[in-house]
């Protein structure tokens, strides 16, 4: 039964396959495994002396008193060496060796025969059965030890190789499982494109069985695949057309990365079918085109109607000027000629009429000025210090009569429209004088450069600060609208100055705002983006 179990080799339930017990031997504290050595002799004294001779090797010695007992141990263990007495009752050493050799697992266990006498017949049969050596009794312990230690070393190096092979097998298995789990088709090829490995996703994407894909060139799947291109853009995606086995082409995103192995370079290509993504992108592109077309059309329509409105407003303000002049002239003539025939109330009414007409004339002039702000004049380098000089001259009478002081830190030179800057400064400084408090106006004009932020370019921040009557904060946004006035009754004006400033600043690409508290003066801020020549 035992004999037949051994003969059947790996199929027996007792068999320990390399997967379940790859390493034999007990571990020593040093991490070194103890090799197992089987000593077989029917004579107990001989066994004791063999054991004593090998004791110093510090390996695991297993003793057997018969061939059958030895076979039993062979079933359960891997031996670094088997020392086998040739002459034993029932099953002699040669017969035992024959059975050991017949088993796949123990076929390569080195057997050293121990024999009392030299017999050529034994020697031939012994070597025939795969004996690696013969030792003649009486055994010399030193010789026995040195022979056995050679086999132990051999066993040890084989164990190391087995461990390495096992580790390699495991990592290869992991690699294959990873490859199979990948959501993309994974194709591993040689540098010339010959496919050596694919995963199941590759089978489904390309509609072709794995065995048919192996050995083919990857260019039959991706015609423009190029190892050099991929090496140059390591890890980057390339969008290429791929071809199924039924010749249907589809867009694919491909990444390839080279792997240097002992057998040369292998290239792993991850191929993803991006048909849906491309369809979605195309759809978005179409939508964007459509949107762009609509925006262009709407913008053109808006520009047209804006232009018509501007022309209308300009023509109206211009054409109304003449009849208005006539009203003023005739009412004034009326007052002059018939002053003596009219009573005081009638003269006052005439004055109101003249005043109203003059105010209306100022409104029309302001409106025309507003409409005339030019958008398309080319910008030039403007020295803001000179601009402020011009403004001071233009406002000379008001400055003198109010005792105003207009001071400025050094102002910059920048690319802008000079007329616009004069308009802006003149309106702001003029207002600072006009809306003064009890004290003479003190007006400070400053500028500071602000560096470019993440999404904005560098710009100049200007400020005009006064010590006038101030503005209640809730009205600060309204004052930049057309004809919007807060202190209308007491101060002359058409409510157009700040609207002009706002439009002019906007045309230069900037923003305008104010900070103020009633009775505490105001500061008007505006920005002008720094332009480079040619922008
Ligand atoms: P106008 O001065 O002709 O009324 P603006 O458009 O220049 O028109 O100004 C709008 C309103 O903003 C003014 O009527 C005034 O009430 C307020 N305002 C403008 N500048 C100042 C200032 N420096 N201090 C106080 N109020 C101001």
């Amino acid at each position: 039964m035992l004999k037949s179990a051994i003969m059947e080799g790996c199929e027996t339930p007792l068999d320990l396959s390399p997967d379940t017990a790859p390493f034999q031997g007990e571990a020593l504290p040093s991490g070194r495994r103890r090799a197992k050595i089987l000593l077989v002799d029917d004579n107990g004294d001989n066994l004791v002396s063999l054991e004593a001779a090998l004791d110093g090797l510090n390996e695991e010695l297993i003793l057997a008193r018969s061939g059958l007992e030895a076979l039993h141990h062979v079933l359960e263990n891997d031996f670094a060496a088997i020392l086998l007495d040739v002459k034993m009752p029932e099953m002699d050493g040669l017969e035992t060796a024959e059975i050991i050799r017949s088993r796949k697992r123990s076929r390569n266990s080195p057997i050293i025969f121990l024999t009392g006498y030299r017999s050529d017949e034994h020697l031939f049969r012994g070597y025939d059965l795969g004996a690696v050596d013969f030792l003649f009794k009486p055994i010399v312990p030193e010789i026995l030890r040195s022979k056995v230690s050679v086999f132990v070393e051999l066993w040890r190096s084989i164990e190391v190789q087995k461990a390495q092979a096992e580790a390699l097998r495991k990592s290869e298995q992991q690699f294959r499982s990873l490859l199979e789990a990948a959501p993309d088709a994974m194709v591993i090829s040689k540098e010339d494109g010959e496919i050596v490995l694919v995963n199941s996703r590759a089978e489904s994407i390309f509609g072709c069985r794995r065995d048919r894909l192996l050995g083919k060139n990857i260019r039959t799947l991706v015609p423009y695949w190029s190892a050099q291109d991929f090496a140059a853009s390591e890890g980057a995606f390339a969008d290429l057309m791929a071809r199924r086995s039924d010749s249907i082409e589809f867009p694919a995103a491909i990444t390839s990365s080279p792997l240097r192995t002992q057998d040369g370079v292998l290239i792993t290509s991850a191929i993803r079918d991006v048909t849906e993504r491309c369809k979605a992108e195309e759809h978005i592109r179409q939508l964007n085109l459509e949107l762009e077309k609509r925006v262009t059309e709407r913008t053109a329509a808006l520009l047209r109607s804006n232009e018509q409105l501007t022309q209308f407003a300009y023509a109206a303000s211009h054409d109304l000027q003449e009849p208005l002049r006539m009203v003023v002239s005739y009412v004034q003539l009326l007052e002059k000629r018939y002053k003596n025939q009219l009573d005081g109330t009638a003269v006052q009414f005439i004055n109101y009429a003249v005043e109203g007409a003059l105010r209306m004339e100022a409104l029309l002039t302001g409106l025309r000025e507003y409409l005339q702000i030019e958008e398309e004049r080319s910008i030039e380098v403007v020295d803001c210090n000179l601009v402020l000089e011009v403004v001071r001259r233009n406002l000379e009478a008001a400055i003198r009569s109010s005792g105003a002081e207009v001071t400025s830190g050094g102002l910059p030179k920048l690319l802008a429209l000079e007329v616009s800057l004069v308009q802006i400064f003149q309106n702001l400084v003029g207002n600072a004088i006009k809306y003064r408090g009890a004290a003479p106006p003190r007006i400070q004009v400053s500028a500071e450069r602000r560096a470019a932020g993440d999404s904005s370019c560098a710009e100049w921040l200007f400020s005009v600060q006064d010590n006038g009557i101030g503005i209640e904060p809730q009205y600060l946004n309204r004052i930049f609208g057309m004809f919007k006035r807060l202190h209308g009754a007491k101060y002359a004006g058409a409510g157009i100055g700040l609207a002009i400033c706002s439009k002019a600043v906007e045309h230069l690409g900037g923003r305008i705002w104010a900070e103020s508290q009633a009775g505490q003066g105001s500061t008007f801020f505006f920005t002008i983006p720094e332009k480079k020549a040619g922008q």
Side-chain angles (χ1 to χ4, degrees):
M1 161 67 192
L2 180 67
K3 194 168 155 183
S4 66
I6 291 186
M7 297 291 274
E8 278 162 26
C10 299
E11 307 303 319
T12 68
L14 277 171
D15 180 59
L16 300 170
S17 71
D19 275 354
T20 52
F23 313 119
Q24 291 280 316
E26 185 189 325
L28 293 173
S30 61
R32 185 180 81 105
R33 278 182 186 280
R34 289 173 73 169
K36 288 183 179 178
I37 302 161
L38 181 61
L39 313 179
V40 192
D41 201 313
D42 59 322
N43 183 318
D45 293 342
N46 285 350
L47 274 181
V48 170
S49 48
L50 283 176
E51 198 178 9
L54 296 176
D55 202 35
L57 292 181
N58 199 19
E59 307 294 353
E60 192 181 340
L61 304 176
I62 293 172
L63 312 184
R65 296 286 296 266
S66 67
L68 222 53
E69 203 185 326
L71 292 180
H72 198 88
H73 288 302
V74 165
L75 270 181
E76 290 174 355
N77 301 284
D78 270 343
F79 289 102
I82 299 169
L83 270 58
L84 202 50
D85 183 22
V86 174
K87 203 160 156 281
M88 287 188 295
E90 290 175 22
M91 188 190 287
D92 69 13
L94 296 172
E95 205 181 337
T96 311
E98 192 173 1
I99 298 171
I100 292 174
R101 282 280 170 269
S102 66
R103 185 173 173 261
K104 201 169 147 207
R105 173 91 183 281
S106 56
R107 185 166 299 151
N108 296 318
S109 299
I111 297 173
I112 304 172
F113 283 112
L114 311 173
T115 179
Y117 60 99
R118 267 176 205 277
S119 141
D120 285 347
E121 188 205 344
H122 278 173
L123 284 177
F124 286 140
R125 234 189 112 202
Y127 283 122
D128 233 20
L129 290 171
V132 290
D133 213 342
F134 272 87
L135 280 178
F136 298 99
K137 294 177 183 177
I139 306 291
V140 182
E142 289 74 23
I143 296 179
L144 177 68
R145 247 198 320 274
S146 84
K147 292 209 168 181
V148 169
S149 27
V150 169
F151 290 117
V152 167
E153 283 318 308
L154 192 69
W155 172 85
R156 202 150 272 135
S157 71
I158 289 170
E159 285 301 293
V160 170
Q161 280 171 19
K162 271 192 200 166
Q164 284 171 343
E166 177 63 12
L168 196 71
R169 193 187 63 78
K170 273 197 178 144
S171 79
E172 208 176 293
Q173 206 172 35
Q174 275 169 353
F175 173 69
R176 277 174 196 270
S177 329
L178 273 176
L179 205 68
E180 280 308 312
D184 297 333
M186 303 296 288
V187 178
I188 298 180
S189 60
K190 294 182 184 166
E191 236 174 332
D192 63 1
E194 186 193 329
I195 299 173
V196 293
L197 199 67
V198 296
N199 66 354
S200 57
R201 186 84 184 109
E203 293 181 291
S204 62
I205 281 192
F206 290 100
C208 187
R209 277 202 346 244
R210 197 178 294 235
D211 53 349
R212 297 240 180 102
L213 287 173
L214 298 181
K216 265 191 182 176
N217 196 293
I218 191 169
R219 284 186 202 87
T220 55
L221 309 179
V222 185
Y224 294 104
W225 183 92
S226 146
Q228 289 75 24
D229 288 356
F230 281 117
S233 60
E234 206 171 308
F237 266 105
D239 283 333
L240 293 174
M241 288 310 282
R243 187 181 290 153
R244 286 171 50 88
S245 62
D246 53 11
S247 299
I248 293 175
E249 295 204 336
F250 63 89
I254 302 174
T255 39
S256 287
S257 39
L259 184 73
R260 261 157 250 291
T261 69
Q262 279 179 340
D263 308 327
V265 175
L266 287 180
I267 297 174
T268 307
S269 301
I271 304 171
R272 180 172 296 182
D273 181 347
V274 290
T275 309
E276 289 310 312
R277 192 190 81 192
C278 288
K279 272 189 198 156
E281 279 172 1
E282 179 55 23
H283 187 59
I284 290 171
R285 211 177 61 82
Q286 288 300 337
L287 286 179
N288 275 338
L289 279 180
E290 180 66 17
L291 198 68
E292 242 169 65
K293 206 174 123 209
R294 278 199 220 165
V295 168
T296 315
E297 281 170 7
R298 294 245 170 107
T299 311
L302 270 173
L303 282 174
R304 270 198 308 277
S305 82
N306 201 25
E307 174 68 10
Q308 282 164 0
L309 265 176
T310 309
Q311 276 173 12
F312 169 77
Y314 189 80
S317 66
H318 184 265
D319 295 351
L320 287 176
Q321 194 89 22
E322 213 29 58
L324 198 60
R325 275 267 112 225
M326 218 157 101
V327 172
V328 174
S329 307
Y330 278 98
V331 175
Q332 281 173 337
L333 199 61
L334 189 70
E335 188 207 4
K336 207 166 148 194
R337 289 229 186 132
Y338 303 99
K339 204 174 182 176
N340 297 334
Q341 294 159 32
L342 297 171
D343 63 10
T345 319
V347 172
Q348 204 182 4
F349 286 174
I350 287 174
N351 284 339
Y352 287 156
V354 171
E355 231 172 70
L358 288 176
R359 220 175 31 247
M360 189 164 169
E361 195 185 15
L363 285 179
L364 292 176
T365 311
L367 187 60
R368 265 209 317 283
E369 210 184 313
Y370 177 84
L371 294 169
Q372 267 175 329
I373 293 177
E374 288 180 59
E375 296 179 25
E376 280 157 20
R377 275 185 39 190
S378 62
I379 55 168
E380 59 213 324
V381 177
V382 184
D383 183 344
C384 295
N385 298 295
L386 297 182
V387 168
L388 197 62
E389 263 325 297
V390 173
V391 169
R392 275 200 189 98
R393 268 204 306 279
N394 292 348
L395 297 174
E396 202 180 340
I399 292 177
R400 202 169 334 108
S401 65
S402 64
E405 231 174 57
V406 183
T407 51
S408 73
L411 299 180
K413 284 183 185 168
L414 47 81
L415 275 169
L417 277 175
E418 187 171 3
V419 252
S420 298
L421 283 177
V422 172
Q423 270 174 324
I424 299 165
F425 279 119
Q426 190 155 322
N427 276 302
L428 296 180
V429 175
N431 279 351
I433 298 172
K434 184 165 42 166
Y435 299 105
R436 63 180 175 273
R442 294 288 171 263
I443 302 154
Q444 171 68 29
V445 182
S446 321
E448 150 196 344
R449 187 178 180 275
R450 297 213 287 200
D454 281 350
S455 57
S456 59
C457 55
E459 62 182 12
W460 283 98
L461 170 67
F462 290 89
S463 62
V464 178
Q465 187 180 26
D466 65 46
N467 58 342
I469 57 172
I471 302 165
E472 290 194 38
Q474 69 264 36
Y475 301 123
L476 283 172
N477 286 334
R478 283 174 48 185
I479 54 176
F480 295 96
M482 266 299 242
F483 306 129
K484 292 282 184 277
R485 311 197 65 216
L486 300 179
H487 311 96
K490 270 176 73 184
Y491 301 87
I496 288 178
L498 289 181
I500 288 176
C501 290
S502 174
K503 191 174 170 190
V505 167
E506 229 170 74
H507 284 152
L508 292 171
R511 292 165 294 121
I512 187 165
W513 69 99
E515 287 174 8
S516 183
Q517 292 286 343
Q520 292 180 29
S522 317
T523 306
F524 283 80
F525 297 95
F526 65 94
T527 60
I528 296 185
E530 198 173 59
K531 291 190 173 64
K532 304 260 176 297
Q535 255 187 318

